[in-house]
Amino acid sequence: DAGVIQSPRHEVTEMGQEVTLRCKPISGHNSLFWYRQTMMRGLELLIYFNNNVPIDDSGMPEDRFSAKMPNASFSTLKIQPSEPRDSAVYFCASSSGTRVDEQFFGPGTRLTVL
Amino acid sequence: KNQVEQSPQSLIILEGKNCTLQCNYTVSPFSNLRWYKQDTGRGPVSLTIMTFSENTKSNGRYTATLDADTKQSSLHITASQLSDSASYICVVTGGSYIPTFGRGTSLIVHP
């Protein structure tokens, strides 16, 4: 198995632009998580999907952030419009239903908003 | 509010030496505690997982301990190697099955 796949690995954009991050979870996993990591705050859970349905989105910072999971093998995290304070590493993780808290992380997307 | 506090924030040791990282938590009810290792530029990778009834668990040169009464855990690294240089993150899961992350300890092993 290739593990959790994220794209792009690096993204540099200008303030105000739309940014879309993509994630392919491990095949067979039915839970998917989006995290943001910064030096100041560490890892923060943004949103959690179970069987493609958003279960907990209390960590989504504001309306500029949205996430979708149209099917079991794909999810997106969109920021529109982006701001410099959104600069961070965004991780996607997935887990199986039997051990929902045993998460496998992707390599992350490093986002820089100028 | 569920919280996980780790100490020290950063640590520098010489290759071959031992070190111990600390984790205190207030997550309740408690389900399990996991230590992750995060290499620079990569996602976290699980090292050990401990449930309420487990006091000690080893994974090679890594040994984790758990005191559920005092809500403390430690990660002991024996005979450190250069490849141990990474961030070590303590993660505690409670009844909601949503994990609470510590901010990590940054370990640097010098030759």
Side-chain angles (χ1 to χ4, degrees):
Chain A
D1 196 315
V4 176
I5 299 173
Q6 291 187 246
S7 65
R9 292 295 311 276
H10 302 274
E11 176 80 32
V12 180
T13 190
E14 292 187 342
M15 182 174 61
Q17 297 298 306
E18 177 180 295
V19 175
T20 299
L21 311 181
R22 298 173 176 79
C23 175
K24 176 179 169 55
I26 292 173
S27 177
H29 283 187
N30 62 358
S31 293
L32 183 140
F33 304 78
W34 281 102
Y35 291 93
R36 177 172 66 179
Q37 186 177 40
T38 61
M39 289 291 291
M40 291 295 294
R41 301 170 71 96
L43 272 164
E44 300 174 281
L45 177 65
L46 299 176
I47 188 168
Y48 156 48
F49 290 90
N50 183 253
N51 292 324
N52 312 338
V53 176
I55 303 300
D56 185 344
D57 65 353
S58 58
M60 295 286 264
E62 49 198 272
D63 292 344
R64 297 184 297 106
F65 285 69
S66 62
K68 295 182 180 179
M69 192 164 186
N71 56 62
S73 60
F74 183 68
S75 177
T76 59
L77 177 67
K78 184 177 294 186
I79 307 172
Q80 167 63 20
S82 58
E83 296 182 3
R85 60 192 169 119
D86 301 331
S87 297
V89 181
Y90 291 81
F91 287 102
C92 174
S94 70
S95 66
S96 65
T98 55
R99 291 287 299 274
V100 68
D101 55 310
E102 185 171 4
Q103 299 179 23
F104 296 83
F105 284 76
T109 294
R110 180 173 294 278
L111 173 64
T112 302
V113 183
L114 304 174
Chain B
K1 180 180 177 182
N2 289 337
Q3 287 187 315
V4 176
E5 300 289 339
Q6 291 188 242
S7 63
Q9 186 174 4
S10 61
L11 183 62
I12 300 174
I13 61 173
L14 292 176
E15 186 180 12
K17 298 296 185 182
N18 303 336
C19 67
T20 300
L21 314 179
Q22 300 291 342
C23 174
N24 296 338
Y25 62 92
T26 61
V27 177
S28 182
F30 174 85
S31 176
N32 62 64
L33 183 147
R34 190 181 294 273
W35 283 93
Y36 282 89
K37 179 187 180 188
Q38 184 176 18
D39 292 315
T40 301
R42 293 177 177 263
V45 175
S46 178
L47 290 175
T48 66
I49 179 171
M50 301 183 73
T51 57
F52 185 87
S53 59
E54 297 175 300
N55 299 119
T56 303
K57 183 169 282 190
S58 293
N59 178 2
R61 294 178 297 102
Y62 299 103
T63 299
T65 65
L66 174 66
D67 186 333
D69 292 331
T70 61
K71 299 186 177 181
Q72 296 179 324
S73 176
S74 65
L75 180 68
H76 186 75
I77 304 175
T78 303
S80 60
Q81 300 177 357
L82 299 180
S83 60
D84 293 331
S85 295
S87 180
Y88 292 85
I89 303 171
C90 176
V91 185
V92 183
T93 302
S96 68
Y97 296 105
I98 301 298
T100 301
F101 287 77
R103 292 182 57 183
T105 292
S106 176
L107 174 66
I108 298 175
V109 181
H110 276 311

